[in-house]
Amino acid sequence: MEKEIKVKAFDAGENIDIQIIAAKLQLPIVTKWEMPLILKYNQKDVHIYQFGSFVFYDFTDKEIKDFIDYLEKLLEKEFKVKIEDEIYIKINDNIKNNFYIDYNTETLYIKDEFITPDMLSLISLAISQSVALERYEQLSDDLEEDIEETIDKYNRYKHFLSIMRNLAVGKALKLIKTRHEIVSDIMILDKPSITWEWNIYDELYELLARFFELNRRYRILSHKLDSALESYTVLNEINEGSRANFLELLIVILIVFEIIMAFLHI
């Protein structure tokens, strides 16, 4: 008989300190980045990742809301949960391969022998990376609008750039921080350590990564961030160049002023 599990992931809008949660609930500390903190709620599993993702197994919408409310009270903070994704798992021993994904129904078919805690964590990781990546994709769209606004501001006040605050520097630093978070927190460029130990885990992670298009989406996002950084770098150079020209003009004026004053004292 075929058994179905609904896996639903949400992005919290920010990183989650899973060590604090573990400490408050007196649970073992999670040491590997790819390993979630696993909680039981209504006898069902919730996987929580430090880069800001929740993964629920067979939860109803009400149970998901209740759990997030519970966690917000526990941490005394509010999460901006907006982005979500899901995949269905169907356990079927009659399939030809160990597992495969039906893209039409967004269903992962897998044999029962592979439904292990490690396999479930691997599935959780892939879908949680997907929703976290979507958060940064939305942020990159906001960055594009912000660049247009900054360029417009530089154009409108181009005669005052020498005395304007350099807006591009702060924005460039924020952008660099964003790129660092994608690489260091979501670890989109790294495979989980377990995939290097067992081929079966590597095959499943590769399958899920293709399904959620993690690599393709990261490349597009990386290109957008590179373009944004290049734009801010150019704006910074324009601002600094204008400021340098202004200082040179001041120096010339001061020299001329000193010459005039010296002439008047003769």
Side-chain angles (χ1 to χ4, degrees), residues 97-112:
N97 300 317
N98 295 325
F99 39 73
Y100 74 93
I101 292 180
D102 184 331
Y103 278 69
N104 293 321
T105 60
E106 298 185 340
T107 300
L108 169 67
Y109 288 84
I110 188 170
K111 290 184 177 179
D112 185 55

Side-chain angles (χ1 to χ4, degrees), residues 21-253:
I21 299 174
K24 287 193 173 187
L25 298 179
Q26 298 182 339
L27 298 172
I29 300 296
V30 177
T31 56
K32 292 184 179 180
W33 72 267
E34 72 266 27
M35 294 303 296
L37 175 65
I38 302 177
L39 302 183
K40 283 285 186 182
Y41 189 80
N42 290 351
Q43 303 303 312
K44 300 175 183 179
D45 286 342
V46 185
H47 292 192
I48 307 175
Y49 287 88
Q50 58 86 21
F51 49 80
S53 296
F54 305 109
V55 183
F56 299 91
Y57 282 81
D58 266 344
F59 273 60
T60 64
D61 290 342
K62 185 180 184 305
E63 287 175 325
I64 290 171
K65 183 181 181 304
D66 290 343
F67 174 80
I68 292 174
D69 289 343
Y70 158 75
L71 199 62
E72 287 177 336
K73 290 177 182 177
L74 181 69
L75 297 178
E76 298 179 347
K77 68 181 302 182
E78 184 177 348
F79 294 112
K80 297 178 181 178
V81 179
K82 295 180 181 178
I83 302 166
E84 62 180 83
D85 204 348
E86 65 183 24
I87 189 172
Y88 290 88
I89 301 173
K90 285 193 176 180
I91 304 168
N92 189 330
D93 286 331
N94 296 321
I95 58 177
K96 182 178 180 181
N97 300 317
N98 295 325
F99 39 73
Y100 74 93
I101 292 180
D102 184 331
Y103 278 69
N104 293 321
T105 60
E106 298 185 340
T107 300
L108 169 67
Y109 288 84
I110 188 170
K111 290 184 177 179
D112 185 55
E113 64 181 290
F114 297 111
I115 298 296
T116 64
D118 285 336
M119 279 294 201
L120 292 176
S121 292
L122 208 59
I123 295 167
S124 293
L125 176 62
I127 193 171
S128 64
Q129 286 178 310
S130 178
V131 293
L133 197 57
E134 187 171 345
R135 183 208 317 167
Y136 287 104
E137 288 170 336
Q138 292 184 3
L139 180 60
S140 72
D141 292 338
D142 294 338
L143 279 172
E144 288 181 346
E145 293 180 9
D146 192 58
I147 289 170
E148 290 181 8
E149 292 175 2
T150 305
I151 291 174
D152 180 61
K153 187 175 292 185
Y154 270 56
N155 188 49
R156 279 188 287 119
Y157 301 107
K158 56 188 173 185
H159 299 299
F160 304 97
L161 284 178
S162 56
I163 57 175
M164 279 178 59
R165 182 167 58 91
N166 195 337
L167 301 174
V169 173
K171 296 178 185 296
L173 290 174
K174 182 179 178 181
L175 193 149
I176 292 170
K177 181 176 180 293
T178 299
R179 175 183 283 282
H180 174 73
E181 287 176 354
I182 296 171
V183 175
S184 66
D185 292 348
I186 304 179
M187 301 291 281
I188 205 71
L189 297 178
D190 296 326
K191 284 186 178 182
S193 56
I194 196 170
T195 62
W196 299 101
E197 300 169 9
W198 302 95
N199 287 337
I200 194 71
Y201 291 106
D202 184 57
E203 290 174 18
L204 179 60
Y205 184 74
E206 285 289 343
L207 181 68
L208 291 165
R210 287 194 300 273
F211 175 71
F212 292 112
E213 300 182 301
L214 298 182
N215 294 328
R216 184 189 67 82
R217 290 163 61 196
Y218 171 74
R219 287 195 300 270
I220 293 173
L221 179 57
S222 181
H223 177 70
K224 286 185 176 181
L225 294 178
D226 285 342
S227 298
L229 184 58
E230 184 179 347
S231 297
Y232 284 136
T233 300
V234 171
L235 291 174
N236 176 54
E237 290 173 353
I238 291 172
N239 190 283
E240 292 300 324
S242 178
R243 188 165 298 173
N245 291 337
F246 179 69
L247 290 175
E248 288 176 3
L249 178 60
L250 283 181
I251 292 170
V252 170
I253 291 173

